[in-house]
Amino acid sequence: MIKKVPKLVDTPHYHLWTDSLHARALANQAKNKWDRGTYVRWTIITAWTVLEIACQDALEEQNISYTFKVNLDDAVERKSLPSLDWSRGIWQKVIEVQNFRKNYIHRFISEQNLFPEANLADYAIQVIREAVKEIYIHSRKTPPKWIEDNEDRGWDEGDGTFGNAVVIRAGADVNDPDSIKITYVYKDREYVTEVLPPGSDPSPSVESLIENIRIPISSIKVYRGNELTYERSLPMRGT
């Protein structure tokens, strides 16, 4: 089951993963085979780079990308770790995705193969996610949390209007000059999302908002009445 993770793109590696998720979303939204093929290829090529970097990071070896399977096996052996089984399971699927990538980058393939269905992008994301987690676990390290991210809005064609619910906690009054207001900025507009009683600690509410927001907000602000007491910029894709 894919876990929901905060959409804070705070590392280059995670940034690259969001590129892959974005490409997959566009592949599924594409209205013609030409665009779909472009986005499927983008998904596979970018997701594969995510895996290469993950293997290099997990095994502390910078030369895995070239001759991937041979170099990965060598790096695993140097770490005195059990050998990877390429004949079945996730690593067999990794070779399959690698062959898709090689077809697009290194081989002259037929025109028909340039128009893959979007489910190939879905499959590549699924395999790369599992492989990234597996190589960290195999290296006795904790996988990065961002690899669980599975969401992207693709083409965000809305006009910027949407429903915004305001939660007013027990004991809070929106007109009280000492009330605590939590807001976020979306597409250069600021929205109140929660009102707390005077003296409340806003930290749990701020962290909950970051954890659960599904739109690309650019910042969160906290006010006591009209006084700005806290502001945090957020590196979310789409801001």
Side-chain angles (χ1 to χ4, degrees), residues 106-118:
H106 301 298
R107 298 170 182 160
F108 185 77
I109 60 175
S110 68
E111 184 174 0
Q112 179 180 358
N113 290 331
L114 291 174
F115 300 113
E117 296 297 327

Side-chain angles (χ1 to χ4, degrees), residues 41-104:
R41 292 192 295 276
W42 179 18
T43 303
I44 292 171
I45 292 168
T46 310
W48 182 262
T49 304
V50 170
L51 176 60
E52 289 183 345
I53 295 173
C55 291
Q56 293 173 173
D57 180 56
L59 293 163
E60 300 173 358
E61 173 57 67
Q62 296 305 306
N63 296 316
I64 289 175
S65 296
Y66 307 101
T67 318
F68 176 78
K69 181 177 179 296
V70 172
N71 288 341
L72 183 55
D73 282 340
D74 288 346
V76 167
E77 184 177 357
R78 282 193 293 273
K79 288 289 185 179
S80 300
L81 297 168
S83 300
L84 303 177
D85 186 353
W86 298 94
S87 66
R88 59 178 179 160
I90 184 57
W91 297 109
Q92 186 180 54
K93 294 177 182 177
V94 163
I95 292 299
E96 185 180 11
V97 172
Q98 185 186 32
N99 283 328
F100 293 144
R101 175 183 176 272
K102 286 181 177 178
N103 283 340
Y104 296 140

Side-chain angles (χ1 to χ4, degrees), residues 61-235:
E61 173 57 67
Q62 296 305 306
N63 296 316
I64 289 175
S65 296
Y66 307 101
T67 318
F68 176 78
K69 181 177 179 296
V70 172
N71 288 341
L72 183 55
D73 282 340
D74 288 346
V76 167
E77 184 177 357
R78 282 193 293 273
K79 288 289 185 179
S80 300
L81 297 168
S83 300
L84 303 177
D85 186 353
W86 298 94
S87 66
R88 59 178 179 160
I90 184 57
W91 297 109
Q92 186 180 54
K93 294 177 182 177
V94 163
I95 292 299
E96 185 180 11
V97 172
Q98 185 186 32
N99 283 328
F100 293 144
R101 175 183 176 272
K102 286 181 177 178
N103 283 340
Y104 296 140
I105 293 181
H106 301 298
R107 298 170 182 160
F108 185 77
I109 60 175
S110 68
E111 184 174 0
Q112 179 180 358
N113 290 331
L114 291 174
F115 300 113
E117 296 297 327
N119 59 9
L120 185 57
D122 297 332
Y123 179 71
I125 290 292
Q126 174 189 339
V127 169
I128 296 302
R129 174 183 289 109
E130 186 178 346
V132 167
K133 291 192 288 187
E134 178 60 28
I135 196 60
Y136 278 99
I137 293 170
H138 195 82
S139 303
R140 298 165 188 165
K141 296 180 178 179
T142 302
K145 291 182 179 180
W146 53 257
I147 197 62
E148 298 289 356
D149 188 359
N150 194 45
E151 297 183 33
D152 189 273
R153 295 163 66 89
W155 290 115
D156 186 0
E157 298 177 341
D159 60 3
T161 61
F162 65 101
N164 174 64
V166 179
V167 177
I168 301 177
R169 299 299 180 183
D173 181 350
V174 69
N175 296 312
D176 188 331
D178 292 322
S179 66
I180 306 299
K181 298 177 184 177
I182 299 171
T183 74
Y184 61 81
V185 177
Y186 172 60
K187 293 188 176 181
D188 298 324
R189 291 187 60 184
E190 190 171 350
Y191 299 88
V192 176
T193 183
E194 191 169 356
V195 182
L196 306 175
S200 298
D201 178 7
S203 300
S205 296
V206 169
E207 294 305 316
S208 178
L209 178 59
I210 293 172
E211 181 77 23
N212 293 292
I213 194 75
R214 301 310 346 136
I215 57 174
I217 61 177
S218 58
S219 66
I220 291 176
K221 300 180 182 180
V222 177
Y223 295 88
R224 184 175 64 249
N226 294 321
E227 178 189 0
L228 178 65
T229 60
Y230 174 86
E231 181 173 6
R232 179 174 176 181
S233 297
L234 301 173

